[in-house]
Amino acid sequence: MDTKTGKIGVTTDNIFPVIKKFLYSDHEIFLRELVSNAIDATQKLRTLSSFGEYKGTLDDMNVRVAIDKEAGTLTVSDHGIGMTAEDIDKYINQIAFSGAEEFLAKYKDRAENIIGHFGLGFYSAFMVAKKVEIRTLSYKEGSQAMMWSCDGSPEYTMEPIEKKERGTNIVLYIDDDNKDFLEQARIDTLLKKYCRFLPVPVISGKQQEWKDGKMTDTDRDNVINNTEPAWTKKPADLTDEDYRAFYRELYPGQDDPLFWIHLNVDYPFTLTGILYFPKIKSNIDINRQGRIQLYCNQVFVTDSVEGVVPEFMMLMQGVIDSPDIPLNVSRSYLQSDSAVKKISGYITRKVADRLDEIFTQNRTDFEAKWDDIKIFIEYGMLTDEKFADRAKKFVLLKDTEGKFFTLDEYKALIEPTQTDKDGTTVYLYTTDPTAQYNYINAATERGYDVLVMDGQLDSHFIGLLEQKVEKSRFVRVDSDVIDNLIAKEDRKVADLTPLQRNELTTIFRSQIPAVDKAEFLVSFEALSPTAAPVMITQNEYMRRMKDMAAMQPGMAFYAEMPDSYNLIVNTEHRLIKEIRDAAAEALDAKVQPVEADIEAANAEITRLRDAAKAAGDKTDAETDKQLADLEKKVSELRDAENKTISEFAATQPRVKQLIDLALLGNGLLRGSDLSSFISRSVELM
C-alpha cells in the first residue's frame, strides 16, 4: 500500500481546538483513555484465543508506557489485536460526529462527558500532544503493519511500515505546554490513580533501588497495577486477612476496618466491589477518610461517588466496579440515570442485609464494635428511609451499665416501669454519664434505666426514634427532676405562701453567679427530704435544638440563644426549711408592708385600666399621668424590696454554698466563683 493522505471524517473543519478547549480541565485523562484502549485490545486477543481464532502465543500480554525525554515522546504500547489499514479507516478516521455547532451546544456545560461519547477516547491524546502517531500490526495472518500520523489538524497520513510484533504503539509528541507528562514521577502517579487495578500488567519504567547515595534504575520492570484485585474474586476464595490486606492496599496507614461487604450482582445490572466500615475516632477522622472509588471494568473513574451510593455510605470506604456506569460519568448523569438509582438501592439493601447477618450470627462481636459502627447506622437511618426500616432489627441502644438492647428489647424492658400517667413510655438518656451522675443515680434509685446517647449524631437520632417508636418520649436525665420526667400521678406541690415564694425566689436568684451565655429561672419542687436541696436542670427541647444547631447552619438562631437553666429548690429539704424560717424572721416585718403597698398600687392600676377599657380604651392626660406614677411607684417598691431581701441573702453563706454545689455538679462553676466556693467551703468547716 502506498502512502495515503486524507481528512478525518468529521463535519467540522477542525475538531482539535474543540477537544483542547473543552477537555483541557481533564487533560490528564488522556493517559487513562489510551491505556484503557490498550487493555481492551489485549483482552480482545485473549478472547479470540479462547475461541481458537488466534493460534499465536500470549506470553507478552502487557501494556507499556515509555518516556523518551530527548525525543519529547510518550508511548503507550500493547501486544493486542492491532489494526489493519481498514481498521484505522473505520475506527480512527471516521468519528460519529454531527457537527461543531450541535456538539458545542450540547456539551458546553458537561465537558467531562465528551471523551468516549463520540468515540473520542483516542483523540484525547491531542489535549497534550502536538503530533500523534499510531504504529500497528494486526494479529491477522499476512497483515501489513501501518503508521498513521496527524499533527492536530483534520489531515492525516497513513503509510506501510516495518513492524515485527503484533499490537499497537501510540506515540505522543508532547507539546510545550504539557512537558510535565515527560516526567516519570508524574506518569507513575497518574497510572497509579487510574490504572492500579487493570486486568493486564501495566509497565512504566524500571523499578528503582538506593545505590551510591541515590535512587537508581534496576533491570526489573516496574509493574504499576494489581491485575487481580480482591473484588474480582469470589468471596469463597478470600480469607479475612485477604480482605484486610486489600484494605491496606487501598488506604495505607489506616487502622484495620471493622467489617466489610462483598458486592456481587449480575442482574438487572452488573456490579462488583468491596465496601469497608472504617474505624472512625473523631470528626477529624471523618473528614480524612479516603473515599469510595468507582471503577468501570477495573478502570478508575472517580472517587466522587455522590449519586452512586446512598449519602450515608459516604462514610464508608472501598471499591465499586460496574460496566453499567460509563467511564466519563457526570454528576447530572448520576442523578438522572435509572441504572445508577437501581445500583444505589441495591447497595443500601445489601449493606442492611450484611449488618443484619453479622448481628444475627455473632451478636457479641457486633456489640463489641457498636460504638465504632453506630455512626454509620444512625446516619443511614437519618438519611435513608428504606435503610431505616431495615435497620430497626439490628440498631442497638446501650445503657449506663453497658448492656445492649434492640429497640423491641428495650421497649419491653422499660415499658412496665417508665410509662407515665398519660401512657407514654419515657426513654431516659445521658450524654455524659460522669457529669450527669447525680441525675442518673436519682433515676436508677427509682428502678429506672438510663441510656447512653453520647454519639456525634445522637441529638438528631433521638428525634428519629421518637417518630419510629409509638407513644414514646426521650428526655435527658438532667432536664428535670425525676418525678417530673416520668410523672406517675398528681404530685404534691411546694407548700409556700406567696410571701415565702417571693422571698425565697429573690434570695436564691440574687446569689446566682454570672455564667457566660446562661440564664437561670428559680422554681420550687416538693421533692423527697433526702433529695438534693438545690438542683439545676435544662429544658429538653431548647437544649436539643441547640445541640442540633451546632451541626446544622440553618439553625443558627438557636445556637446564638443563651443556655436556659432551671434552678430547682427542694422545699422539703431541711436546709431549705431553715433558710425559709430565717428569712421569715428577718424579712417578714420589712417586706410585708412593702408587699401591701405594691398590692394596693397594682389594684389602683387595674381599676384605672378597667375604667379606660369600659370607655373604649380612651384615657385622658390625667389618667395617663396617674398610671405612669403608679407603675413607677411599683417599680421603686419592688427594687427596694429586692434590695432588702438580697442584702439578707448575702449574709447567708449556706445559700451561696448550695447554689455553687449545684453549679459545680453541672460543670457551670468556673474561675473566681470556683475559687470563692473552695474558700467558703473551708470556712464553713
Side-chain angles (χ1 to χ4, degrees):
M1 174 182 173
D2 296 330
T3 299
K4 174 184 175 182
T5 61
K7 284 193 175 184
I8 297 167
V10 294
T11 55
T12 178
D13 287 340
N14 197 339
I15 187 177
F16 299 102
V18 175
I19 291 174
K20 287 179 177 289
K21 177 180 179 181
F22 283 91
L23 300 185
Y24 184 75
S25 62
D26 292 316
H27 63 300
E28 69 180 33
I29 292 176
F30 84 92
L31 189 59
R32 182 190 75 179
E33 294 297 311
L34 297 182
V35 173
S36 297
N37 288 347
I39 297 293
D40 287 343
T42 307
Q43 295 288 68
K44 287 176 181 176
L45 189 66
R46 281 179 174 167
T47 302
L48 292 172
S49 178
S50 68
F51 291 155
E53 296 182 23
Y54 171 68
K55 306 295 185 181
T57 179
L58 296 178
D59 293 340
D60 53 355
M61 303 295 276
N62 56 52
V63 173
R64 286 184 180 271
V65 179
I67 294 171
D68 185 335
K69 278 193 173 184
E70 186 174 338
T73 61
L74 175 70
T75 302
V76 178
S77 305
D78 68 68
H79 300 283
I81 59 174
M83 289 184 284
T84 63
E86 291 76 15
D87 293 331
I88 294 174
D89 260 334
K90 182 176 180 181
Y91 297 113
I92 301 297
N93 293 337
Q94 299 297 323
I95 300 176
F97 186 65
S98 59
E101 291 183 4
E102 179 183 345
F103 180 84
L104 298 180
K106 188 170 184 179
Y107 289 98
K108 64 181 180 180
D109 297 323
R110 294 192 284 144
E112 71 275 19
N113 218 18
I114 297 175
I115 298 179
H117 197 88
F118 291 106
L120 291 178
F122 162 73
Y123 281 96
S124 64
F126 287 95
M127 291 189 292
V128 300
K130 56 190 176 184
K131 177 183 176 183
V132 177
E133 291 177 354
I134 302 175
R135 299 170 184 172
T136 184
L137 174 62
S138 173
Y139 75 98
K140 296 175 183 177
E141 192 172 344
S143 294
Q144 169 65 56
M146 300 297 299
M147 183 177 78
W148 176 96
S149 177
C150 180
D151 63 0
S153 67
E155 286 80 18
Y156 67 85
T157 299
M158 188 164 63
E159 59 184 315
I161 59 170
E162 289 293 325
K163 186 177 189 301
K164 294 182 179 181
E165 295 181 332
R166 100 185 155 258
T168 301
N169 298 345
I170 308 293
V171 184
L172 282 67
Y173 292 82
I174 303 299
D175 64 32
D176 293 339
D177 294 333
N178 292 282
K179 292 299 184 182
D180 57 316
F181 293 113
L182 293 175
E183 299 296 330
Q184 190 68 51
R186 171 78 162 130
I187 294 303
D188 287 350
T189 298
L190 293 179
L191 289 173
K192 288 174 182 176
K193 176 180 179 180
Y194 292 110
C195 308
R196 64 188 298 198
F197 297 119
L198 285 174
V200 174
V202 177
I203 298 169
S204 178
K206 297 294 183 179
Q207 293 183 19
Q208 291 189 318
E209 61 182 25
W210 188 259
K211 188 176 181 180
D212 298 331
K214 62 181 179 179
M215 295 301 293
T216 306
D217 286 348
T218 67
D219 58 358
R220 301 187 302 272
D221 287 337
N222 180 34
V223 179
I224 291 291
N225 54 322
N226 172 1
T227 60
E228 295 183 343
W231 84 81
T232 65
K233 301 176 183 178
K234 295 179 180 179
D237 296 335
L238 296 169
T239 65
D240 287 353
E241 182 52 35
D242 290 331
Y243 284 109
R244 294 189 187 98
F246 182 59
Y247 181 79
R248 290 191 287 268
E249 184 178 354
L250 289 171
Y251 310 105
Q254 294 195 21
D255 291 341
D256 282 348
L258 302 166
F259 301 120
W260 49 84
I261 298 169
H262 199 134
L263 306 170
N264 193 351
V265 63
D266 54 18
Y267 181 82
F269 46 80
T270 302
L271 175 74
T272 56
I274 302 173
L275 295 179
Y276 292 92
F277 290 86
K279 190 176 181 65
I280 293 178
K281 300 174 184 176
S282 67
N283 280 326
I284 295 176
D285 281 352
I286 292 176
N287 295 329
R288 287 179 177 174
Q289 295 299 319
R291 297 182 175 189
I292 293 173
Q293 299 171 14
L294 180 63
Y295 287 77
C296 174
N297 290 326
Q298 296 177 238
V299 181
F300 177 79
V301 178
T302 181
D303 59 5
S304 297
V305 293
E306 297 87 346
V308 180
V309 301
E311 181 184 355
F312 74 94
M313 291 184 202
M314 300 303 289
L315 298 177
M316 298 177 71
Q317 297 176 311
V319 168
I320 295 172
D321 190 332
S322 176
D324 294 322
I325 298 176
L327 274 176
N328 305 290
V329 68
S330 67
R331 186 177 300 274
S332 59
Y333 173 88
L334 290 175
Q335 291 172 345
S336 62
D337 186 75
S338 59
V340 170
K341 292 178 181 177
K342 290 177 182 177
I343 289 173
S344 179
Y346 166 80
I347 294 174
T348 297
R349 186 171 66 255
K350 185 71 174 179
V351 169
D353 290 346
R354 173 62 174 151
L355 288 169
D356 188 34
E357 176 187 358
I358 295 170
F359 170 71
T360 303
Q361 293 181 353
N362 193 344
R363 177 163 176 167
T364 301
D365 185 48
F366 191 83
E367 290 179 356
K369 295 176 178 175
W370 175 252
D371 289 340
D372 293 309
I373 64 172
K374 66 178 289 187
I375 188 170
F376 296 100
I377 296 174
E378 289 184 356
Y379 190 30
M381 294 181 71
L382 286 165
T383 57
D384 192 304
E385 184 70 24
K386 291 182 179 178
F387 180 81
D389 291 339
R390 289 175 176 269
K392 285 192 294 185
K393 295 183 293 182
F394 54 78
V395 64
L396 295 180
L397 301 174
K398 184 174 74 170
D399 70 7
T400 52
E401 295 182 5
K403 296 178 181 178
F404 291 91
F405 307 87
T406 64
L407 294 180
D408 289 342
E409 289 169 350
Y410 197 72
K411 184 177 182 181
L413 173 73
I414 67 171
E415 209 166 25
T417 56
Q418 292 179 214
T419 299
D420 65 17
K421 63 181 181 178
D422 299 320
T424 300
T425 302
V426 181
Y427 291 68
L428 301 174
Y429 70 93
T430 174
T431 55
D432 189 332
T434 301
Q436 295 152 18
Y437 174 80
N438 288 337
Y439 302 93
I440 296 169
N441 191 52
T444 55
E445 284 183 348
R446 295 292 185 89
Y448 299 152
D449 197 81
V450 181
L451 295 171
V452 178
M453 305 292 281
D454 58 354
Q456 300 172 53
L457 299 176
D458 278 339
S459 58
H460 298 268
F461 188 60
I462 285 166
L464 176 69
L465 290 180
E466 286 176 328
Q467 298 174 27
K468 296 289 183 183
V469 183
E470 292 184 0
K471 296 206 74 174
S472 67
R473 180 164 53 91
F474 282 70
V475 290
R476 201 167 84 175
V477 72
D478 64 342
S479 60
D480 207 336
V481 296
I482 192 64
D483 288 337
N484 288 344
L485 292 178
I486 307 177
K488 295 292 187 179
E489 56 189 19
D490 293 334
R491 294 175 46 249
K492 178 182 178 182
V493 296
D495 186 17
L496 296 173
T497 66
L499 181 61
Q500 289 172 329
R501 186 177 292 270
N502 180 40
E503 289 176 349
L504 285 176
T505 298
T506 304
I507 286 170
F508 279 92
R509 186 169 56 206
S510 67
Q511 299 306 300
I512 298 174
V515 178
D516 188 39
K517 294 184 178 180
E519 295 177 348
F520 293 86
L521 175 68
V522 177
S523 61
F524 301 93
E525 295 283 353
L527 306 175
S528 166
T530 59
V534 177
M535 298 174 62
I536 292 175
T537 64
Q538 190 175 19
N539 178 269
E540 172 73 15
Y541 174 78
M542 289 304 298
R543 181 199 51 74
R544 198 185 295 186
M545 290 300 103
K546 287 180 71 67
D547 288 347
M548 294 172 67
M551 299 181 67
Q552 294 185 9
M555 300 178 66
F557 167 76
Y558 289 103
E560 295 301 319
M561 294 179 66
D563 290 316
S564 179
Y565 296 96
N566 292 322
L567 189 143
I568 298 174
V569 179
N570 179 9
T571 59
E572 297 301 303
H573 196 279
R574 173 183 60 83
L575 292 175
I576 301 302
K577 289 181 177 180
E578 291 176 3
I579 292 170
R580 181 198 63 195
D581 293 342
E585 182 178 346
L587 296 173
D588 282 3
K590 299 176 182 177
V591 173
Q592 281 178 334
V594 179
E595 281 290 318
D597 289 345
I598 291 173
E599 185 176 347
N602 281 331
E604 181 62 14
I605 290 172
T606 300
R607 186 190 68 77
L608 290 172
R609 286 178 175 165
D610 287 346
K613 187 175 182 179
D617 289 329
K618 294 180 180 179
T619 57
D620 54 25
E622 180 63 25
T623 301
D624 289 341
K625 184 176 185 306
Q626 285 180 293
L627 284 169
D629 290 343
L630 286 168
E631 289 169 351
K632 181 180 179 182
K633 179 180 179 181
V634 169
S635 177
E636 290 172 346
L637 288 169
R638 188 66 71 192
D639 288 344
E641 180 185 75
N642 288 340
K643 181 180 179 183
T644 299
I645 298 173
S646 298
E647 288 173 349
F648 165 78
T651 68
Q652 304 295 308
R654 287 192 301 181
V655 172
K656 184 70 172 171
Q657 193 74 354
L658 291 174
I659 292 172
D660 285 355
L661 277 170
L663 290 170
L664 185 66
N666 285 72
L668 295 172
L669 193 65
R670 309 181 187 102
S672 61
D673 293 314
L674 177 59
S675 178
S676 298
F677 167 77
I678 295 172
S679 300
R680 193 184 324 109
S681 299
V682 175
E683 293 172 2
L684 288 173
M685 289 180 183

